[in-house]
Amino acid sequence: RPLLSTTNPSTLLSFYKTQLEARGWSLFSSGASNGSPQYLFQKAGSDTFYWVIGVTVNSSTSTSTAWTFRIYQNSEAI
């Protein structure tokens, strides 16, 4: 889902890192293959699958950041 916030990319990613790690999510990747700022987190489910959350910064200006939040289920740990 595309979103728009009035914060800078660093603050946005720091917020999600702090909040998700406090809730038991593990950061396993930072930075997208295209060079965009991105954090990927994973957490084991109770059904042998893993949940993955991705927060990707698509673009930013001095007053706003366009970003995407994704959550999906994976069949194994990354």
Side-chain angles (χ1 to χ4, degrees):
R1 173 181 177 118
L3 301 162
L4 186 67
S5 297
T6 56
T7 188
N8 64 50
S10 177
T11 301
L12 176 77
L13 291 172
S14 292
F15 170 81
Y16 276 98
K17 184 177 187 301
T18 301
Q19 293 299 312
L20 290 172
E21 287 182 339
R23 288 162 175 78
W25 291 82
S26 299
L27 177 67
F28 70 89
S29 178
S30 59
S33 60
N34 65 1
S36 295
Q38 177 187 66
Y39 280 166
L40 297 176
F41 301 87
Q42 72 177 3
K43 186 175 187 179
S46 59
D47 56 0
T48 71
F49 288 91
Y50 280 80
W51 288 96
V52 177
I53 288 179
V55 180
T56 305
V57 173
N58 302 314
S59 64
S60 63
T61 66
S62 61
T63 59
S64 66
T65 298
W67 57 287
T68 305
F69 180 92
R70 290 184 179 94
I71 185 167
Y72 60 93
Q73 194 175 43
N74 192 18
S75 61
E76 60 185 60
I78 297 174

